[in-house]
Amino acid sequence: MREPIYIIDGARTPFLKARNRPGPFSASDLATAAGSALLLRQPFAPTDLDEVILGCAAPSPDEVNIGRLAALRMGCGLKVPGWTVMRNCASGMQALDSAIANIGAGRSKLVLAGGGDALSRAPLLFSDAMVGWLANWYAAKSIGQRAALATKFKPAYLAPVIALMKGLTDPMVGLLMGQTAENLAFRFGITRHDMDAFAAESHRRVIAAQQAGHYAGEVVPLFDASGKLYETDDGMRADSTVDNLARLRPFFDKKYGNVTAGNSSQVTDGAAWLVLASEQAVKDFGLTPKGRIVDTQWAGLDPAQMGLGPVYAATPLMQRHGLGLNDLDAWEINEAFAAQVIACERAWASDEFCREELGMERAAGALDRAKLNVDGGAIALGHPVGASGARIVLHLLNVLERTGGRRGIAAICIGGGQGGAMLIEKV
């Protein structure tokens, strides 16, 4: 980058697990709550921002340009542009990268960027057959025509189409995201026990981090319309042990599979923001940076193997800066599925994979688990698709601050066969 891109501060909402019904907050509610709390503690006014960029994978029909809506609701004023980006699971990271591009080009100096989604509010849709029948019904001009149509109506037309399931199915390969995780489990010999042990550890680490207050400065509380308080992430379970997780049935491949709801990320609502600033903005507003984004890398790969995205994205990032896996002080790899993160570890540890897929002479090595997702991840916290890319960058910086580390990488797999990674340095 031609000039430093500083992270001034960041905040997120609690991540709230979807419970088979619409949650208490829309995506813009979540984004507004987290952003307003974050902006209140800054020395500049919301109207001083040059732009607001929000990643969102599933905005509701009445919140299509949710970035602009959130900017207005947060009090940024009519003159601060707000816009929305979408790169599936990395939408929040894409918002950060879009801010970096505009700051680097001199178009902006001070940007609020992040991501949010309310996946519990993903709509139920009519089938094409039902839509066609309704179109004919409204086009009918006589009682006789409508009577004839009524005889052709089939109750099956009323079966809803679950928009979230369609969104989590890759249209190129026809696989649900969990089925791509099954592909990786088969490819790298990942057992059911491996997955469940990883998932149990994610829950254990999140609970330990909560008890130690490691999320306290990151999460801002929410109040719903009735005054109910939502103070912490609510997806983690102390009873998510290896033995208990082993009782769950495979979800994506019911006959031969091992990926279950318990060793997958949860369907969740949440939002996360970061304030990014140029060197000039730091001087103009007297800001104190917490860290800086050193570099970003995006990668493409086979959609059927999409979970390896962090490997394809983070490896060239490390090579560009002369870093090995364990030269980093901390890693945040989004836990879309336990099998997916384990597959990334095994890919880096494989001479064959690194030679054939990454053009390296030998394996990158074994990633130290003590540096990976030290406070747990999306299996326990949940994965609000638009927010996760921003959350892992925010939490990575907080881990570096807490542990005295200097550098870390946040990486994420992306539906459609992509990967994203950011190299973060503590200031």
Side-chain angles (χ1 to χ4, degrees):
M1 295 180 185
R2 289 179 295 177
E3 67 166 294
I5 306 294
Y6 292 109
I7 302 174
I8 306 304
D9 200 357
R12 68 174 177 88
T13 67
F15 279 13
L16 305 177
K17 184 177 179 179
R19 301 185 186 278
N20 298 316
R21 66 188 68 232
F25 305 101
S26 72
S28 72
D29 291 336
L30 296 162
T32 300
S36 295
L38 176 60
L39 291 172
L40 277 172
R41 63 194 194 208
Q42 305 310 314
F44 56 83
T47 51
D48 290 325
L49 290 166
D50 292 305
E51 59 183 331
V52 173
I53 311 172
L54 185 68
C56 187
S60 64
D62 59 343
E63 297 181 348
V64 175
N65 186 8
I66 187 173
R68 173 61 170 170
L69 178 60
L72 291 172
R73 291 184 64 186
M74 289 184 293
C76 297
L78 300 178
K79 295 183 179 180
V80 176
W83 51 294
T84 308
V85 297
M86 198 287 211
R87 198 194 279 255
N88 279 346
C89 313
S91 296
M93 186 177 285
Q94 178 61 64
L96 301 178
D97 201 33
S98 297
I100 290 167
N102 283 353
I103 294 172
R107 290 189 290 264
S108 295
K109 294 188 298 182
L110 187 63
V111 181
L112 181 66
D117 260 312
L119 297 183
S120 70
R121 295 194 174 197
L124 298 177
L125 308 174
F126 283 132
S127 66
D128 288 345
M130 183 65 189
V131 172
W133 187 89
L134 283 171
N136 291 332
W137 178 266
Y138 289 119
K141 299 185 182 300
S142 69
I143 295 177
Q145 288 175 329
R146 289 196 170 183
L149 281 169
T151 65
K152 297 179 181 179
F153 180 80
K154 298 178 181 179
Y157 290 171
L158 294 174
V161 176
I162 302 172
L164 185 61
M165 293 297 284
K166 290 183 74 69
L168 295 177
T169 302
D170 189 281
M172 293 301 296
V173 294
L175 297 176
L176 283 161
M177 295 299 99
Q179 291 170 317
T180 71
E182 292 283 13
N183 288 347
L184 296 182
F186 178 78
R187 179 177 182 179
F188 290 95
I190 301 166
T191 67
R192 172 67 182 272
H193 183 270
D194 294 333
M195 299 180 204
D196 289 345
F198 187 96
E201 179 64 6
S202 182
H203 285 272
R204 189 199 68 78
R205 290 187 180 194
V206 168
I207 292 169
Q210 284 190 333
Q211 292 172 345
H214 293 169
Y215 286 109
E218 179 177 314
V219 178
V220 298
L222 299 173
F223 291 90
D224 67 16
S226 65
K228 181 179 178 181
L229 173 64
Y230 299 82
E231 197 169 9
T232 59
D233 308 303
D234 68 358
M236 61 286 163
R237 293 171 58 103
D239 63 353
S240 286
T241 63
V242 175
D243 289 342
N244 286 341
L245 290 170
R247 297 189 179 101
L248 299 177
R249 295 181 179 180
F251 184 82
F252 299 97
D253 181 346
K254 299 184 187 300
K255 187 173 183 180
Y256 300 108
N258 288 303
V259 178
T260 70
N263 56 44
S264 305
S265 59
Q266 303 173 32
V267 177
T268 307
D269 301 345
W273 291 103
L274 291 91
V275 176
L276 302 187
S278 67
E279 198 157 24
Q280 187 60 51
V282 169
K283 294 175 182 176
D284 290 346
F285 295 101
L287 305 176
T288 303
K290 291 186 174 182
R292 71 185 187 100
I293 300 176
V294 178
D295 205 352
T296 307
Q297 181 69 42
W298 302 100
L301 62 148
D302 180 358
Q305 307 275 316
M306 73 92 198
L308 294 173
V311 175
Y312 286 91
T315 301
L317 191 60
M318 290 186 288
Q319 292 172 333
R320 195 152 60 234
H321 294 271
L323 297 169
L325 280 173
N326 294 311
D327 292 332
L328 284 306
D329 298 302
W331 279 84
E332 286 287 326
I333 297 179
N334 191 54
E335 296 172 359
F337 303 93
Q340 164 260 319
V341 182
I342 298 169
C344 289
E345 292 178 314
R346 295 191 182 182
W348 270 316
S350 166
D351 285 325
E352 180 183 2
F353 181 93
C354 289
R355 279 196 304 265
E356 295 181 1
E357 298 290 333
L358 304 176
M360 300 169 65
E361 292 183 1
R362 62 184 67 87
L367 176 58
D368 184 354
R369 280 259 178 110
K371 296 182 176 183
L372 173 63
N373 298 356
V374 297
D375 294 324
I379 288 172
L381 290 172
H383 179 20
V385 174
S388 292
R391 182 198 75 79
I392 60 174
V393 172
L394 171 60
H395 194 66
L396 174 63
L397 181 58
N398 290 341
V399 168
L400 292 175
E401 282 191 299
R402 186 179 80 240
T403 61
R406 179 187 168 205
R407 294 174 300 196
I409 285 180
I412 193 165
C413 62
I414 306 168
Q418 296 186 82
M422 280 190 168
L423 175 60
I424 309 299
E425 187 174 78
K426 189 183 69 174
V427 174

